[in-house]
Amino acid sequence: MSGTIIKSARNTPHAPQDLGPSTQTVAFSHYNNISAQLPVDPATGKMVSGDVTAQARQCLSNLKAIIESIGHVMDDMVKATIFLKEMADLEAVNAVYREFFPGYLPTRTTLAVAALPLGALVQIDAIISNGEGTFPQDPCPLIKLARNSDKAPHNPLSTHTVAFSHYNNIGAQLPVDAASGQLVAGGIKEQAGQCLRNIKAVLESIDVPFDDIVKVTVYLTDLADLEAVNEVYTTFFPDSAIARAVAYLPARSVVSAAALPMGARVQMDAVISHGDGTPPQLVEDRHNLVIRARNTDKAPRSPLHCQTVAFSHYNHLSAQLPIDPATGKILAGCIKEQTAQCLSNIKAIVESIGHVMDDIVKVNIQLANIADLDAVNAVYTKYFPGYLPARTVFGVSELPAGALVQIDAVMSNAESTPPQA
């Protein structure tokens, strides 16, 4: 791999350590990726006692400790993802969340999941801006651009879009009509269409085309709805004649949620390329940096997404199921064999574009049975024997085709995308 930008992987004793094979925060270029924080007291290494309020406060305190340990502040957060065991706990978690974000609000995604490590009621991960960059980049006083649109529904605890450097993160969009503030009438197709229209409205409000999306995550309360969602999804992607000509599709992950806010059946969030950067970067032609979407026959292909989409200094990889690329079928076998297949698929994609597994900065693991985590970790450490990326793990009620595990990743891209050096 070309390029000289160096990852900065760091831990602090002021937040929990030794809870699994991960690093608390991994910075690369102008972003930091922070591992999901459980409600564990770093002094004792044990879960805090108390209800979800106490657990949420501990999660956010752990995030704050990590962020401050590397010379940052909570207002440097660009995106937070909140995983709840029970959606009914959201109001209590929100009350604590407001204490940590009394003014500025990052983008946010919230969902309930089937299970969390250690039996926790809540966990939270985050992405933060990193204006100083990583060595040998010089510090750059880049400005975060946090913006909302009147044409998409507002969330009192989330900003629609927060741009920093060459990326935008869009907060999760529910199937809510902006005019009424209510869920749209109809079934899953109507809800999926509304989520995508809301994302499009946010992008149009900042003069960004829909095909600048590099990664979409679809959250569903019933995977049986996926086929109907895909039918709607293909009416939005590709969006332009240029994208259709090259068959461009963003990377994608699908997450099975136990519940979503407002009783929605689907929500979606997105990561957006931002070629013009944020001030004081000079405004350049939006297409001066090229989105590079690539696939390899050594990993499973999909007609609905590209395996990896690179832009500027990051690559976003689509979620990998334990599918044997030779047969196109889910690998029969135990959790260890399925984990190895997911990671082998990721490794094949990473190596197909001239990278190595140590270039990965963040991993997200979905498990059909959270009790399988120790077995997954035993395989995982073989693929990351030294350096460990940031990581988020959660349990889901089901995965496609009865799979036991699904894994996606974000990767550093020191060489950047053309024509940037």
Side-chain angles (χ1 to χ4, degrees):
M1 183 190 73
S2 62
T4 58
I5 302 173
I6 297 171
K7 281 194 321 291
S8 184
R10 292 170 285 187
N11 291 295
T12 174
H14 299 298
Q17 300 185 83
D18 303 321
L19 294 180
S22 67
T23 300
Q24 290 169 352
T25 174
V26 179
F28 185 77
S29 188
H30 292 303
Y31 280 90
N32 269 282
N33 296 267
I34 300 184
S35 291
Q37 292 302 299
L38 288 159
V40 171
D41 181 346
T44 65
K46 305 292 185 184
M47 289 265 290
V48 295
S49 59
D51 59 8
V52 72
T53 296
Q55 291 200 11
R57 184 169 286 110
Q58 188 65 56
C59 291
L60 287 160
S61 294
N62 291 342
L63 283 172
K64 188 170 186 282
I66 294 167
I67 289 168
E68 292 180 347
S69 76
I70 56 174
H72 284 262
V73 295
M74 289 292 276
D75 277 3
D76 289 336
M77 195 178 293
V78 170
K79 166 116 188 251
T81 303
I82 299 175
F83 301 87
L84 297 169
K85 183 64 178 69
E86 301 292 341
M87 186 54 68
D89 287 337
L90 180 56
E91 186 175 344
V93 171
N94 283 344
V96 179
Y97 192 83
R98 289 186 186 96
E99 298 173 12
F100 288 81
F101 297 101
Y104 160 77
L105 292 165
T107 63
R108 195 174 85 160
T109 294
T110 303
L111 67 153
V113 296
L116 291 169
L118 304 180
L121 300 176
V122 59
Q123 76 172 2
I124 305 174
D125 70 11
I127 303 167
I128 69 168
S129 58
N130 188 43
E132 66 270 27
T134 50
F135 184 83
Q137 291 173 319
D138 292 324
C140 183
L142 300 175
I143 298 169
K144 264 196 335 289
L145 293 177
R147 293 170 284 187
N148 289 296
S149 168
D150 291 335
K151 294 183 179 179
H154 283 246
N155 181 328
L157 289 171
S158 176
T159 299
H160 281 150
T161 172
V162 177
F164 187 78
S165 188
H166 289 303
Y167 274 94
N168 269 283
N169 284 267
I170 305 292
Q173 293 301 304
L174 289 160
V176 172
D177 176 75
S180 69
Q182 303 298 314
L183 289 176
V184 293
I188 186 63
K189 288 185 177 181
E190 288 77 13
Q191 289 202 12
Q194 188 65 48
C195 291
L196 288 160
R197 283 192 293 275
N198 289 343
I199 290 174
K200 196 165 193 178
V202 172
L203 293 181
E204 289 176 348
S205 74
I206 56 173
D207 192 29
V208 172
F210 206 62
D211 283 323
D212 279 358
I213 294 175
V214 296
K215 172 76 185 289
V216 175
T217 303
V218 179
Y219 304 87
L220 289 173
T221 58
D222 187 349
L223 283 186
D225 286 337
L226 183 55
E227 186 175 346
V229 169
N230 287 341
E231 186 177 332
V232 176
Y233 191 86
T234 56
T235 67
F236 284 80
F237 297 102
D239 185 59
S240 66
I242 293 173
R244 286 191 291 273
V246 297
Y248 171 69
L249 293 165
R252 192 175 83 154
S253 294
V254 175
V255 174
S256 175
L260 294 169
M262 299 181 69
R265 294 169 66 177
V266 59
Q267 75 175 1
M268 301 183 199
D269 63 21
V271 182
I272 316 297
S273 63
H274 186 51
D276 41 346
T278 50
Q281 288 174 324
L282 295 177
V283 175
E284 54 199 23
D285 179 80
R286 179 167 286 124
H287 298 287
N288 197 35
L289 292 180
V290 177
I291 294 173
R292 298 191 69 178
R294 290 171 286 189
N295 293 291
T296 174
D297 290 333
K298 294 181 179 180
R301 288 176 175 256
S302 169
L304 292 162
H305 59 75
C306 291
Q307 291 167 350
T308 175
V309 178
F311 184 78
S312 188
H313 287 127
Y314 277 92
N315 269 283
H316 294 263
L317 275 64
S318 292
Q320 295 300 304
L321 286 161
I323 293 174
D324 180 348
T327 65
K329 304 292 185 183
I330 293 284
L331 186 74
C334 68
I335 184 63
K336 287 187 175 182
E337 292 167 323
Q338 290 202 10
T339 301
Q341 186 65 60
C342 291
L343 289 165
S344 293
N345 290 343
I346 288 173
K347 189 170 186 281
I349 295 167
V350 167
E351 292 179 348
S352 75
I353 54 175
H355 282 259
V356 295
M357 290 292 277
D358 275 2
D359 290 336
I360 291 175
V361 296
K362 174 73 189 294
V363 173
N364 299 298
I365 301 176
Q366 302 176 46
L367 292 173
N369 185 351
I370 201 71
D372 285 337
L373 183 53
D374 284 346
V376 169
N377 286 342
V379 178
Y380 186 86
T381 52
K382 294 178 181 178
Y383 286 80
F384 299 100
Y387 154 77
L388 293 165
R391 196 173 79 156
T392 295
V393 178
F394 56 97
V396 295
S397 58
E398 60 176 333
L399 288 166
L404 302 175
V405 59
Q406 175 173 266
I407 305 176
D408 69 16
V410 181
M411 187 173 70
S412 60
N413 188 45
E415 69 270 28
S416 189
T417 49
Q420 191 172 353

